[in-house]
Amino acid sequence: MNWLVIADYALLIFHTSLILFNLLGWMGRSTRKWHLYSISLTLASWFLLGIWYGWGYCPLTDWHWEILHRRGVRDLPNSYISYLLHRLLGIQPAATLIEVSTLLVTLMAFLLSLWVNFRKRLKEVKKEW
């Protein structure tokens, strides 16, 4: 099997797993701290690296696109979520819908992660006041 095919599937599995973890990792007690790190790094990539590379920049998407280009795949969307929906489910919603939904759901997961990670500390600070 060609190394590009292996790299394609490895990135597909890893990146999709990371996305699912970023959406749901705040739910498990044992994963909450790691979730906060992971989603914070994701948002930092989107907004800080995004200053230089464009809003929503993700190095994993960049690497995956490079692999796919080497495999001859062209006309890739701007959004990895759009790519996933098309590749896995065969659907292609409007780009704006995907971008707005992705941002809102990710910010909601980030806020939930902050809440579950810091709610005890917030209660203690509130009691001290």
Side-chain angles (χ1 to χ4, degrees):
M1 185 180 280
N2 184 333
W3 76 270
L4 291 172
V5 174
I6 294 169
D8 175 22
Y9 281 102
L11 279 168
L12 179 70
I13 291 166
F14 179 75
H15 199 179
T16 303
S17 299
L18 180 62
I19 290 167
L20 291 172
F21 181 71
N22 275 344
L23 294 178
L24 306 172
W26 59 271
M27 291 180 183
R29 281 191 203 281
S30 62
T31 59
R32 287 177 180 163
K33 183 170 87 172
W34 289 106
H35 177 266
L36 185 57
Y37 295 144
S38 176
I39 201 159
S40 295
L41 283 173
T42 299
L43 291 170
S45 174
W46 287 7
F47 296 110
L48 296 178
L49 291 177
I51 293 169
W52 295 277
Y53 296 103
W55 179 89
Y57 177 76
C58 175
L60 291 175
T61 300
D62 208 11
W63 296 332
H64 202 169
W65 273 202
E66 179 63 31
I67 296 296
L68 291 171
H69 278 124
R70 289 183 185 198
R71 290 193 64 205
V73 177
R74 301 289 183 254
D75 298 325
L76 292 165
N78 289 332
S79 164
Y80 193 78
I81 300 299
S82 291
Y83 169 74
L84 275 181
L85 290 172
H86 182 52
R87 182 167 178 175
L88 299 178
L89 303 175
I91 60 174
Q92 202 162 15
T96 304
L97 174 65
I98 295 298
E99 290 173 10
V100 170
S101 299
T102 300
L103 178 60
L104 292 175
V105 170
T106 303
L107 289 175
M108 185 176 295
F110 178 67
L111 292 173
L112 286 166
S113 187
L114 288 173
W115 182 68
V116 297
N117 276 288
F118 296 109
R119 66 181 170 200
K120 287 182 183 176
R121 291 184 193 142
L122 290 172
K123 286 180 184 177
E124 290 170 6
V125 168
K126 193 176 179 181
K127 284 181 185 178
E128 289 177 10
W129 281 45

